[in-house]
Amino acid sequence: MTPRTRALLACLVLLVLAAPLGAQSGGVLRFCLHSEPKTFDPALVDDEASENVRYLTGGVLIRLDRETQALEPALAASWKVSKDGRTITFHLRKGLYFSDGTKFTSEDVAFTIRRLMDPQMHSSTGDAFRSGEGTVEVQAPAPDVAVITFPAAVAGLERLFDQVAIISAHSPKKEMAVLGPYYVSEYKPGEYVLLRRNPNYWRHDAQGRPLPYIDTVRLDIQRNREIELLRFRRGELQMINRLDAEQFSNLQKENPGAAHNAGPGLDAEEFWFNQSPAAPAPEFRKAWFRTTEFRRAVSMAINREDLCRIVFYGYAAPAFGPVSSSNKFWFNSALPAPKHNPQEALRLLAQAGFRYDGKVLKDSSGNPVEFTIVTNSGNAAREKMATMIQQDLSQIGMRVKVVTLDFPSLIERITKTFDYDSCILGLVNTDLDPGSQMTVWLSSGENHQWNPSQKTPATAWEAEIDKLMREQASSLNEKLRKAAFDRVQQIVAEQQPFIYLVNKDVLTAVSPMVEGAAPAVLNPQVFWNIETLRLKVPENGGTE
Amino acid sequence: MSAKSILRAVSCSVLFAVFAAGLFAGYLTHYSYALQFREVPNAAPSALHPLGTDSLGRDLFARLLYGTRISLLLAPAAALLATLIAGVFGGLAGLAGGWCEKVVLAAADLSMALPLLFVLLALRALMPLDVSPVISVVATFLMLGALGWPSSLRVAWAAARELRNSDFLLLARAGGSAPGRILMKHVLPHLRPVLFAQFWISIPLFILTEATLSMLGLGVMEPLPSWGNLLKGLENFSAVRANPWMLAPLVLLVVVVISFQLALPAEGELA
Amino acid sequence: MSAGISRIGRRLLLMVFLSLAGGLLGATLVRYAPGYGMDERELDPRLSETTREAIRSGHQLHSGLLSYYGAWLARAAHGDLGRSEWLDRPIAGLLVERFPLTLRSVLLGVLTAWAAGVVLALASLGARAWWVDLAGTLTSGFLIALPVAVVALAAMYLRAPVFVAIAAVIFPKVFRYLRNLLVHAYEQPYVLAARARGIGHARLLLRHVLRLVGPPVAALLGVSISMAFGAAIPMEALCDSPGIGQLAWLAALNRDLPLIMNLTLVVTLLTVGANSAAELLHSEAP
C-alpha cells in the first residue's frame, strides 16, 4: 500500500469513526411559535409563545417529567416540604453558573421568589401560589439552601415550581442570563427568536456529555397553521407542536412516520348554559337553563361520537368530566358516560314539563324552545361542533342558532354583560392538579362560568361543591384530596353545569431528521425533552 | 352581430341562468343546505351528491345553489343602497359646490381610509344574538351597502359637477324653477345612466367583499351558505389538493363577476 | 404661481385635518365597539383578585376620549407615540419595524402592476395580432373577479411574496384604465394628423400622447397607491406578513386603542395624501 493510499484509508477510517459523533450534535432545530412572545421575563409570562421560550431557556428547581408525570430534581438536588405544607426547603446543586458566567446561589432563588410574589408584579405564575393572605418569606441560610414559607398551605406545592424559572440577582443581563438549556441570542420581532445552547447548562447525559445536543434552535413566528404545515412538508421546519385534526389526518396519509399521536390531551371542549340572574333574557328562558333535566337532556341529545369522528377525524374521545383520562391521578373512571340517546332526552324533558309534538319542543307555558350558542370565530373546529350540535338538538325539537364572535366581544358577553344563552369554549388545562382551578368551581369564583361571582351559592349542589373544594385545598393528604374532587366531578356529572364534549388528542409532527422525540400530552408537547433531541445531518451536509 | 354584443348576450344569459338557479334552488335539489349526512363527510362527487359533500357531510351542490340565492339576491340590494346614498350625496355635492362639496368629499375620503373590516367587525358584534340567520345576512349586506358608498360617490359628484355649469340647468334656474323640481326633473334623469353604471359595477364588488369577509370569519351565520362561506374551505390547501371540486364555488364566482362586467351596457369603465 | 402654492397649502392643511379626524374616528370606534377593555387573561383561573383588578384598570381609559386623544397628540408632537397595550412595547418602535416591509410590498406591488399594465396596454394597441388584446382583457377580467382573500391564499400557496398578490389586485384596474386612455388619446384628431404626417411611433408616443394622458395617469398612480395600502391590510393578515397591515388587523382584534389610533392616523394620512396628490395633478390637465 502506498503512503497515499494509507493516508486515504486512515482518513476514511477517521471519518467513519467520527460520523456517529458528527451526526449527533450541532445543527439547527426549527419550529414555530404561533404568536409574538410578549415578554422574556419569566415572572410576567402569560401567553403561550412566552411560555415556550421560558421552558427552553429557564432553569427550574423541580421539573415535572412530561412523560411519567412525576417530579424530578432539577436545580434543586433535593427538597423537603414541612408537615403543615407551608414551608419548603431546597438543597441546591453546587457549582452551577448562569449562561453569562454569574454564580448560582440561593440568593438568586430568594430574589426570584420575592420578585415573583410581589403583589405589584401581578404575575399569574405567582398567583398560583397565593393560597392565603400574607407575604411569602424567603430565606437563604446557606449558599446552597433556600427556605420558602407561605402564609397558608399550598396544595400541590412542589409541582408549581416547574413554572418558576430562576433569574439572577446580580447579573447585569438580568433575566436574559439563564440556567436552562438555551439562551436567547437574537430576537427579530415579527420574524423569529434564535436560541443558542447554554455553555453552562448543568445537565449531562449518562455518558457525561454536556446537554443539549442541538446547538441552535430557531423559533419562527408563524400564525398561519397552513403555511406552517407547508413549510414542514418542504423540510424547512422539523417539528410542529400542535396540529389540528384535519392537517394531521392528511399528514398521516402522506408521511405516517412524521405524524405522532400522543393520546388524549388534558384540554376539554365544554358547553354551558347561562344561569346568571343578571342575564337580560326573558324569565322563561332563564328558567329552562336552570332546570337540571333540561341540561342533562341536552347532554344526552348530543352525539359525541359523531363530533369525534367528523370534526376531529377520529382523533378525539368523548369527554364526560373536566379531567381527561390522560391525567392519571385525578381522572375519575367511575363517572357515568351516557351514550347518545334522544329518546331518553325527551323522556327527561317530559319529566320537567316540556312537550314534544314531533317537530317542536315547547315548555309548559307553550314557549317553543329556542336559544343561541355563541363561540369564538376563527376556531373552525368549534364552529363545526356548534353546527353539529345544532342538528343534534333539532332532533329533539330545539331550534338553535349559532353565532360566532371575535374573542373580546365574546369575553365581554360571558363575563360582563351576561347577554348570551349558551357558549362553547375550550377549557385549557395546563395543570394536572385541579387545585389551580379554585375560581372555576367555587361559586364565588370569577371563572365559575355559568354563574360567576355569586355572593352566596345559588343552589344546594353548588354549595356542596364549595365545601368539597375548600376541603381539598386545605388538605395535604393526596387520597383525601382525590376523594373530594372525585365527588365534585360526580356532582358535575349529575347536574351538568358544564356539558363536556370531547378531549382532543395531542397531535404533533416530527421530521424523521429528529432523533429522540417522544411527544407527550403535557405542555410543551413536542419539545419537552429538547435537551436530548438530536438532528441527523443530511447527506449533502449543512442543516441550514 | 359584433363580437362585443355576442359577448354581452352570452354574459347576460349566464347571469340569468345562475340567477334562476339560485331562485329555484328548491326545485333543482331536494336536499336542504343544512342537512348533515354524517356517514359521508368530504365525499367525492357521486350520483347522490353531484359535487360531493363538505366536511360536515352537507351536500355541496345544494349549498352552492342556496348560496347563490344569498349572494345574487343580496349583493344587488347592497349595491342599490350604496348607489342611492352615493347618488344623493354626490349629486348634492356636485350641484351645490363650495362648502357642501368640500365636506362631502372629505367625508368620503375619510371613510375610505377607515378600516372597513374593523367597522364591520364592530357592527357585527353589536347586533343582538337572537336574530335569525336570514336577518343577520340581510343586515350584513345592508351594512356593506351603507359603508360602500364612497367609491361611487366621486363618480356621481363628477357627473353632477359637469351639470352645474351646463346650459340647460342655467336656463332652468333662470326660468324660476324651484330647486327641488330642478333636482327631480333635470338633474336626476341626467345622473341616472351614470348611477346605473355604478350600480351594475358595484354588484360584483359587493359579492367579492362578502366573500372576503366570510373568509376572514365575519360573514354569514351557520348554517346558511354563501359563496364566501364555501370559499372558506379553500384555506385548507391539502384538502383542496385532495378534492379539487371544492374549487367549484370559486369558478362560479369568477364566471359571474366576469359576466357582470361583460354585460355592462356602457363601454369601458374607469378605475 | 402663488395661487398654486396656496392651493397646495390648503390641500396640506386638509390632509392634516382629515388625518387627525381619522385618528379620532378610529379611536372612537375601538373605544365604543363591544369588547373594549376585555382581556383573554380574565379566563385564567390562576389569577388573584388584585391581578384581575390591575388587568382591568390597565385597559380602562381614565379620562374622556377627547382628552385622551388630545393628551396623546401632545405627546406625539414630541415623538412619544405611546405604548401598545396588547404587545406592551413602544408604538414608535413597532411602526419603525413594520413600516418598511409594508412600504416595500406596496411600492413593489404598484411598480409590478404598472410595469405589466403599461407593457400590456401598449402591446394590445400596437400589436397586429387580435389575441394580444383579448389575452390582456381576459387576464385582467379574471384577476378582477377574484376576491382579495383568494388572491392572498394563492400567493401563500405558491410561496409568492406579498407584493405579487398586491400587484395581482391592482394590475387589472391599471391595465383597463390605461388601455382606454390610450385608445382615446390615439383617436384624438391631432394625434391622427400627426400619424398621417408620418411621425414615428416612439416620437408620437413620447411627445404627443404622453402630454394628453400624463395628468390622468398621474392621478391613477395616486389612486393605485392608496388602493394598494387598502389591500395590504387583508393581504398581510392572511399571508402572515409582519407589516403594518397585519398589525392593524391584530390590533383591531385585540382592541388595542393606542395602536389603532396611531395606525388609523398613518393610514388616513397616506390614503388622503395619495388621493390629494392625484387630484392636484389631475386638475393640472388642460
Side-chain angles (χ1 to χ4, degrees), chain B residues 106 109-110 113-114 117-119 121-122 125-126 154 208 211-212 215-216 237 241 250 253-254 257-258 261 269-271, chain C residues 18 22 25 29 33-34 141-142 144-149 153 157 176-177 180 220 249 252-253 264 267-268 271 275 279:
Chain B
D109 264 347
L110 205 57
L114 274 187
L117 291 174
F118 183 69
V119 175
L121 200 160
L126 276 172
R154 282 189 168 256
L208 290 174
T212 307
M215 292 182 80
L216 283 170
F237 298 143
R241 256 205 322 222
L250 184 63
L253 178 74
V254 168
V257 171
I258 292 184
Q261 289 169 348
E269 20 83 76
L270 298 161
Chain C
L18 278 183
L25 218 60
L29 212 57
F142 175 70
I144 227 181
L146 288 178
V148 166
L153 277 185
Y157 186 67
R176 287 176 163 216
Y177 193 63
N180 288 337
L220 181 65
W249 178 238
L253 284 182
T264 339
V267 171
T268 316
T271 349
N275 277 334
E279 202 156 304

Side-chain angles (χ1 to χ4, degrees), chain C residues 16-235:
Chain C
V16 168
F17 172 72
L18 278 183
S19 312
L20 290 177
L24 184 60
L25 218 60
T28 320
L29 212 57
V30 175
R31 170 69 186 83
Y32 293 106
Y36 177 69
M38 294 293 124
D39 192 319
E40 211 177 339
R41 294 169 64 193
E42 298 196 33
L43 296 180
D44 187 343
R46 291 174 301 173
L47 299 183
S48 70
E49 189 55 44
T50 23
T51 311
R52 287 176 201 266
E53 274 309 313
I55 295 176
R56 258 175 248 145
S57 85
H59 285 300
Q60 294 310 329
L61 271 188
H62 295 290
S63 59
L65 186 62
L66 274 174
S67 43
Y68 182 76
Y69 193 62
W72 170 73
L73 277 176
R75 282 196 307 265
H78 293 270
D80 171 19
L81 293 177
R83 224 181 149 77
S84 156
E85 278 175 9
W86 150 57
L87 282 176
D88 200 24
R89 290 177 55 204
I91 293 181
L94 279 172
L95 289 178
V96 163
E97 264 165 30
R98 291 178 173 248
F99 196 66
L101 187 63
T102 308
L103 198 64
R104 225 189 54 178
S105 304
V106 164
L107 287 178
L108 272 177
V110 169
L111 213 69
T112 319
W114 272 80
V118 165
V119 164
L120 269 169
L122 285 175
S124 63
L125 258 123
R128 304 252 161 234
W130 56 272
W131 51 264
V132 176
D133 193 17
L134 187 65
T137 316
L138 280 181
T139 325
S140 69
F142 175 70
L143 284 175
I144 227 181
L146 288 178
V148 166
V150 172
V151 176
L153 277 185
M156 266 206 312
Y157 186 67
L158 298 168
R159 303 293 262 129
V162 181
F163 80 82
V164 170
I166 294 185
V169 166
I170 306 244
F171 160 75
K173 304 187 181 140
V174 165
F175 169 72
R176 287 176 163 216
Y177 193 63
L178 275 180
R179 190 185 159 285
N180 288 337
L181 264 183
L182 283 174
V183 163
H184 273 287
Y186 271 96
E187 283 169 2
Q188 291 298 307
Y190 78 87
V191 173
L192 283 172
R195 275 175 78 181
R197 276 208 308 271
I199 296 191
H201 273 290
R203 224 178 123 186
L204 191 70
L205 181 63
L206 290 170
R207 277 270 179 105
H208 301 278
V209 176
L210 209 59
R211 215 172 345 136
L212 266 178
V213 303
V217 161
L220 181 65
L221 187 63
V223 169
S224 58
I225 292 187
S226 76
M227 264 200 299
F229 267 110
I233 295 189
M235 287 289 184

Side-chain angles (χ1 to χ4, degrees), chain A residues 46 127 223-224 234 447, chain C residues 41 48 51-52 159 240:
Chain A
D46 245 324
D127 281 349
R223 283 198 167 74
N224 189 312
R234 291 176 195 184
N447 297 112
Chain C
R41 294 169 64 193
S48 70
T51 311
R52 287 176 201 266
R159 303 293 262 129
D240 237 3

Side-chain angles (χ1 to χ4, degrees), chain B residues 18 21-35 59-74 137 220 223-227 230 252:
Chain B
V18 176
L23 211 53
F24 297 110
Y27 297 98
L28 289 168
T29 171
H30 53 275
Y31 292 135
S32 144
Y33 58 81
L35 189 57
D59 183 48
L60 269 180
F61 185 57
R63 282 181 76 74
L64 193 57
L65 285 178
Y66 285 100
T68 307
R69 191 189 280 190
I70 288 184
S71 298
L72 271 193
L73 287 182
L74 291 181
V137 148
V220 172
L224 277 182
S226 76
W227 285 347
L230 295 170
L252 187 60

Side-chain angles (χ1 to χ4, degrees), chain A residues 48-104:
Chain A
E48 196 193 334
S50 311
E51 209 176 306
N52 287 344
V53 174
R54 179 174 72 180
Y55 185 89
L56 292 167
T57 59
V60 295
L61 295 167
I62 303 175
R63 178 59 88 201
L64 177 69
D65 182 311
R66 266 55 176 172
E67 205 165 22
T68 61
Q69 292 182 12
L71 296 169
E72 14 174 85
L75 291 173
S78 69
W79 65 88
K80 198 159 152 321
V81 182
S82 68
K83 275 227 170 51
D84 63 357
R86 290 179 51 200
T87 310
I88 182 165
T89 311
F90 290 103
H91 290 273
L92 309 171
R93 286 179 207 269
K94 299 204 226 319
L96 300 185
Y97 294 86
F98 283 85
S99 54
D100 68 337
T102 321
K103 208 161 167 17
F104 164 63

